Amino acid sequence: MKIESIELREIRMQLKSPFETSFGTTLNRRILEVEIIADGVRGWGEVTAGETPAYNSETTDTAWHVISDFIAPSLIGKTLSKASDIPALVSPIRGHEMAKSALENALWDIEAQMKGLPLWKLLGGSIQEIACGVSLGIRENPASLVKKVEEELRSGYQRIKLKIKPGKDLDYVAAVRKEYPNILLSVDANSAYTLDDATHLKKLDDFKLLMMEQPLNWDDIYAHSKLQAQMQTAICLDECIHNTRQALTAIELKACRIINIKLGRVSGHTEARELQDACRQRNIPVWCGGMLEAGIGRAHNIAMSTLPGFTLPGDVSASRRYWTEDIIEPAVEVSAKGTIQVPQTPGLGYAVKRDLIEKLTVRRNRWSAQQAAH
Ligand code: OSB
Ligand code: MG
């Protein structure tokens, strides 16, 4: 595959409603989309970074910088034998996993189309029906959260995850658990607590949660091992895990019993596939995390979720929960039993709405092999 052109663009999209986590509230998204042409075939990838460096260190603008000044110039005109050649090519660039992921994933889309395979099949996926959960933002009071949970359960979602932070935790979880004693329920703190809060966090053991996601520092695997040793509730790491090595460290230290894999956070499909396999061999369940993706990112998440290690419902939910109009068609739909049927057409399996993307674009950068050769 010869990389003939790379187009990077920023699109603006407004969420249907604000999403509040322990680190802040998001309404207006600034999303980067990457379109690559290799051997005449077009593929798409999405940067899943947030607008601020509050979840991890990447942002829309750091990804713009790193793709524009380093990744795209280093890849344009290159000939690869497969998409999984990308990690070695971008390894001189430290970190910036979400920036790297968008380009690697676009090449996976291209390779799948060239081989006439749905992307999930090329990755080695086997699950044909993805189990879906939802992630619910922090709300003004427990009663309104219970109402939201009811709505999502009525739509069929199989697992409910509640965002929590200090002062908005036990009351909220207790209210939902009281109303729904048997649902799969988990919480996500996005690094809002410290080990000094261990006594407080241990109270969550009363609620029979499926897991507690990333309670402590975003970069501290060791602290999570100290907390896990004191709690019954399984800890799931999100922010801490950028690659398979870190996952193996966390497993060895017993810092978690479950891992959330986000495709962008682990730099793309090649690393995600290796990570889920390493977890599967060690009986650590994994699931697909979400980053409020537009359709291209969502479609890549669906393909990844077909891999055999993904044994728990993910945060991959319907397009309509986020957007009035998504940038792919058909939009991602979730069945009444809370599943997504994987697409069967080659590549991503969803058509990209170029005209809509064009309308949403606020800036672009383009590289072509001809220009690079001059
Ligand atoms: O920690 O999983 C997280 C959104 C933005 C940043 C971090 C997280 C999230 C979510 C939303 O939980 C998941 C989604 O619905 O896309
Ligand atoms: Mg999380």
Side-chain angles (χ1 to χ4, degrees):
M1 315 193 259
K2 178 167 183 208
I3 302 180
E4 292 159 357
S5 75
I6 301 172
E7 185 159 67
L8 172 67
R9 48 172 101 215
E10 177 180 336
I11 61 173
R12 302 268 166 104
M13 289 177 82
Q14 191 178 82
L15 290 166
K16 278 186 169 176
S17 51
F19 185 76
E20 183 179 343
T21 66
S22 64
F23 59 76
T25 302
T26 307
L27 176 62
N28 293 301
R29 298 251 32 230
R30 297 175 51 210
I31 303 175
L32 304 186
E33 305 291 353
V34 173
E35 183 183 16
I36 296 180
I37 302 178
D39 297 349
V41 178
R42 284 163 195 277
W44 289 87
E46 182 168 307
V47 175
T48 60
E51 292 70 30
T52 66
Y55 162 78
N56 64 352
S57 62
E58 293 188 80
T59 69
T60 309
D61 290 311
T62 66
W64 183 275
H65 160 53
V66 171
I67 292 172
S68 297
D69 296 336
F70 302 104
I71 305 177
S74 78
L75 296 181
I76 191 69
K78 285 256 158 58
T79 299
L80 326 173
S81 63
K82 48 194 185 327
S84 59
D85 292 346
I86 290 288
L89 290 172
V90 299
S91 69
I93 300 165
R94 301 292 184 236
H96 299 285
E97 290 84 1
M98 290 170 166
K100 292 172 180 172
S101 177
L103 284 98
E104 188 194 313
N105 296 343
L107 284 157
W108 275 99
D109 179 17
I110 291 170
E111 185 180 339
Q113 291 174 63
M114 285 177 171
K115 294 181 171 164
L117 293 172
L119 174 57
W120 62 270
K121 259 194 195 157
L122 178 63
L123 291 169
S126 51
I127 301 167
Q128 302 256 334
E129 237 184 337
I130 307 300
C132 307
V134 289
S135 173
L136 301 183
I138 295 167
R139 300 183 83 88
E140 47 292 353
N141 56 59
S144 90
L145 180 62
V146 171
K147 264 189 73 186
K148 187 73 188 163
V149 169
E150 185 198 340
E151 189 187 306
E152 302 290 4
L153 291 171
R154 240 189 293 119
S155 302
Y157 286 102
Q158 299 184 15
R159 186 231 58 205
I160 304 287
K161 162 173 137 183
L162 312 175
K163 290 289 190 180
I164 57 168
K165 66 177 182 183
K168 294 212 159 192
D169 46 20
L170 298 176
D171 296 351
Y172 286 74
V173 180
V176 173
R177 197 34 123 194
K178 180 157 178 275
E179 196 70 21
Y180 300 103
N182 299 316
I183 58 169
L184 289 181
L185 185 64
S186 59
V187 294
D188 185 357
N190 289 108
S191 307
Y193 300 88
T194 72
L195 265 185
D196 292 340
D197 300 311
T199 309
H200 177 72
L201 291 171
K202 273 191 268 186
K203 295 180 185 151
L204 288 167
D205 281 342
D206 293 343
F207 301 112
K208 303 282 172 267
L209 300 176
L210 180 61
M211 70 190 88
M212 170 173 53
E213 194 178 334
Q214 194 73 34
L216 309 178
N217 249 329
W218 67 281
D219 61 351
D220 198 341
I221 294 174
Y222 181 67
H224 283 92
S225 76
K226 294 295 216 188
L227 181 62
Q228 182 67 91
Q230 303 173 54
M231 288 195 70
Q232 285 162 23
T233 306
I235 290 177
C236 169
L237 290 179
D238 173 351
E239 282 88 330
C240 275
I241 307 297
H242 300 91
N243 52 52
T244 309
R245 284 181 293 104
Q246 291 171 345
L248 294 178
T249 300
I251 294 167
E252 175 134 350
L253 287 176
K254 297 189 163 59
C256 64
R257 295 190 202 126
I258 297 173
I259 290 178
N260 161 338
I261 300 185
K262 288 184 181 162
L263 188 52
R265 202 192 65 230
V266 306
S267 81
H269 282 300
T270 307
E271 190 69 22
R273 184 167 67 176
E274 185 181 325
L275 209 167
Q276 64 86 38
D277 190 52
C279 288
R280 195 159 83 104
Q281 286 174 33
R282 291 163 182 80
N283 292 316
I284 299 289
V286 307
W287 54 280
C288 175
M291 289 295 292
L292 310 173
E293 286 90 348
I296 292 168
R298 200 163 293 281
H300 277 288
N301 284 345
I302 291 168
M304 176 180 80
S305 301
T306 64
L307 292 166
F310 286 78
T311 53
L312 290 171
D315 281 346
V316 205
S317 45
S319 298
R320 72 159 64 90
R321 293 190 63 251
Y322 305 83
W323 317 113
T324 308
E325 185 180 6
D326 205 344
I327 58 172
I328 54 166
E329 58 192 346
V332 174
E333 303 254 16
V334 170
S335 72
K337 52 181 178 154
T339 60
I340 294 169
Q341 210 67 44
V342 301
Q344 300 296 335
T345 49
L348 266 189
Y350 294 85
V352 171
K353 291 185 186 170
R354 254 180 154 282
D355 292 352
L356 176 59
I357 290 183
E358 200 60 47
K359 270 196 274 181
L360 301 173
T361 297
V362 296
R363 56 172 168 163
R364 77 180 79 219
N365 246 340
R366 196 167 183 281
W367 296 263
S368 82
Q370 284 82 4
Q371 281 164 6
H374 286 163

